[in-house]
Amino acid sequence: EAQVTQNPRYLITVTGKKLTVTCSQNMNHEYMSWYRQDPGLGLRQIYYSMNVEVTDKGDVPEGYKVSRKEKRNFPLILESPSPNQTSLYFCASSLSPGPYNEQFFGPGTRLTVL
Amino acid sequence: SQQGEEDPQALSIQEGENATMNCSYKTSINNLQWYRQNSGRGLVHLILIRSNEREKHSGRLRVTLDTSKKSSSLLITASRAADTASYFCATALYNNAGNMLTFGGGTRLMVKP
């Protein structure tokens, strides 16, 4: 089944403890991206990747890192999480190297930073 | 800042009625996409309209795009209780600054049976 998977789905952590949220797609998509969703603010793009080893900042990249060593994986890294990073995170992918086609979204990761 | 702004923020209708949601944006776009999100879940793509298109249909969905007014509308005809969800527009930009997809704040639609 064609899908985007994220892990973990739920995570409660403490300030400063490094964490990684994994994202994987099995559709051979070029474009992958991370969003955070907060009440009243909609979805905001954190980072995106046009292809392997090509990543760029989105609207709200501060406090996050990403890597794209393989086409299928696009992990989101929080080196030193803070409470303002408590949010619902979505990974998405699309076929073309840009947001010109439909995005396929993962199920979301609900992160709480205490 | 948000590129797309949906209007209204919330909409409550009876089953069988039509639901219209509007989206306004600020800059030139490559395409505009509409997504649906059931509570707390991932977004599902509904329809994509390119900047050189004016209207598009998919089942009970009708999307219009007016690039001169920088606005789009999503019409859901003969609504069903299962259409209850949040609906987001997203604009895709293609320029030297990058290739981003920017979402609006969404419209929460409730369809009462």
Side-chain angles (χ1 to χ4, degrees), chain A residues 1 10 15 26 30 37 80 84 103 106:
Chain A
E1 180 189 353
Y10 302 91
T15 298
N26 62 1
E30 304 274 350
Q37 184 176 30
S80 183
N84 64 11
Q103 304 286 303

Side-chain angles (χ1 to χ4, degrees), chain A residues 46-64:
Chain A
I46 303 171
Y47 268 95
Y48 63 94
S49 170
M50 301 277 279
N51 212 325
V52 175
E53 302 291 1
V54 181
T55 62
D56 279 294
K57 296 177 180 178
D59 274 333
V60 287
E62 293 78 22
Y64 304 94

Side-chain angles (χ1 to χ4, degrees), chain A residues 9 31 35 37 40-45 48 50 56-59 88 90 97-108 110, chain B residues 1-2 30-31 33 35 37 40-45 48 50 88 91-95 97-106:
Chain A
R9 294 289 314 281
Y31 186 87
Y35 299 87
Q37 184 176 30
L41 295 175
L43 280 87
R44 293 176 292 168
Q45 195 167 32
Y48 63 94
M50 301 277 279
D56 279 294
K57 296 177 180 178
D59 274 333
L88 179 58
F90 290 101
Y100 315 124
N101 296 98
E102 66 174 292
Q103 304 286 303
F104 291 81
F105 280 81
R110 189 169 291 280
Chain B
S1 63
Q2 287 176 231
N30 176 280
N31 67 65
Q33 304 172 29
Y35 289 82
Q37 183 184 33
R41 305 181 79 169
L43 281 74
V44 175
H45 180 266
L48 181 153
R50 302 196 188 281
F88 295 87
T91 50
L93 298 170
Y94 176 52
N95 55 45
N99 297 274
M100 288 176 49
L101 190 65
T102 306
F103 284 81

Side-chain angles (χ1 to χ4, degrees), chain B residues 33-67:
Chain B
Q33 304 172 29
W34 284 91
Y35 289 82
R36 165 198 168 119
Q37 183 184 33
N38 287 86
S39 181
R41 305 181 79 169
L43 281 74
V44 175
H45 180 266
L46 295 175
I47 199 164
L48 181 153
I49 186 165
R50 302 196 188 281
S51 59
N52 61 354
E53 297 175 310
R54 291 296 167 259
E55 188 171 311
K56 209 162 182 181
H57 297 254
S58 177
R60 293 183 296 113
L61 305 180
R62 172 178 169 252
V63 168
T64 62
L65 179 65
D66 186 335
T67 52

Side-chain angles (χ1 to χ4, degrees), chain A residues 44-100:
Chain A
R44 293 176 292 168
Q45 195 167 32
I46 303 171
Y47 268 95
Y48 63 94
S49 170
M50 301 277 279
N51 212 325
V52 175
E53 302 291 1
V54 181
T55 62
D56 279 294
K57 296 177 180 178
D59 274 333
V60 287
E62 293 78 22
Y64 304 94
K65 284 175 57 178
V66 292
S67 69
R68 187 91 182 274
K69 293 185 170 59
E70 308 164 279
K71 199 171 189 178
R72 63 183 293 130
N73 296 323
F74 191 46
L76 179 69
I77 303 156
L78 284 72
E79 296 270 2
S80 183
S82 61
N84 64 11
Q85 293 178 298
T86 292
S87 188
L88 179 58
Y89 290 86
F90 290 101
C91 179
S93 72
S94 70
L95 181 61
S96 59
Y100 315 124

